[in-house]
Amino acid sequence: MAIVSLLAILNGQVGIHEHSYGNNMIAFLFFGLMGTAVLVRLSQYIRIPHKILDTFMQGALFYLYMHTLMFEYMLLIWNKATGDFSGNTLLEKIIVTILTFVVSYPIIRFMLKFTPIFLGKQLKK
């Protein structure tokens, strides 16, 4: 896993929203598949209550649309709280990602209860 991570870093910066896939498109696809496989494998060892998983699965549309905005906002809050604007380490980005999930959860619950149509759910008649 460390070798794959190092090679992925050597592939360069990826910004899908900018259509930037690093230095090599095949390496980008390969490392994307490897990362997905690692996440699937790790998820077998992490026990998360079904209620939380169901909420995130039902609110996937919200997270797909808002994750970049929420991540950037949470990163800004993190930088202001720590007073460090020089750049973020991998650990800081992981912490901010977890915070983004934590903040997203009540928003998704609220939307499921009061505005389900925004999450692709049909209104009950």
Side-chain angles (χ1 to χ4, degrees):
M1 190 163 95
I3 293 171
V4 171
S5 297
L6 177 65
L7 292 174
I9 291 169
L10 291 175
N11 188 41
Q13 184 72 26
V14 173
I16 296 174
H17 60 286
E18 299 171 337
H19 303 291
S20 171
Y21 303 102
N23 300 325
N24 186 324
M25 182 64 151
I26 293 173
F28 166 76
L29 294 172
F30 173 75
F31 295 126
L33 289 172
M34 293 299 294
T36 301
V38 168
L39 282 176
V40 167
R41 189 72 175 147
L42 286 175
S43 70
Q44 294 173 339
Y45 298 108
I46 299 172
R47 299 289 177 227
I48 300 173
H50 288 288
K51 183 178 180 183
I52 293 173
L53 284 178
D54 288 344
T55 298
F56 278 113
M57 289 169 41
Q58 291 175 359
L61 195 59
F62 167 80
Y63 205 74
L64 282 173
Y65 289 134
M66 298 299 292
H67 76 279
T68 302
L69 178 66
M70 290 191 66
F71 181 81
E72 293 296 326
Y73 185 68
M74 295 302 289
L75 199 56
L76 178 66
I77 292 171
W78 177 266
N79 288 339
K80 284 189 177 195
T82 61
D84 182 16
F85 291 92
S86 62
N88 298 100
T89 65
L90 179 61
L91 178 62
E92 289 175 319
K93 289 180 181 179
I94 290 170
I95 291 169
V96 169
T97 300
I98 292 169
L99 288 173
T100 302
F101 274 111
V102 169
V103 169
S104 297
Y105 183 78
I107 295 170
I108 293 170
R109 297 282 302 168
F110 176 85
M111 291 179 75
L112 285 169
K113 186 170 184 174
F114 297 107
T115 59
I117 196 165
F118 291 146
L119 298 174
K121 308 290 183 221
Q122 291 183 352
L123 295 176
K124 296 179 181 175
K125 296 180 182 182

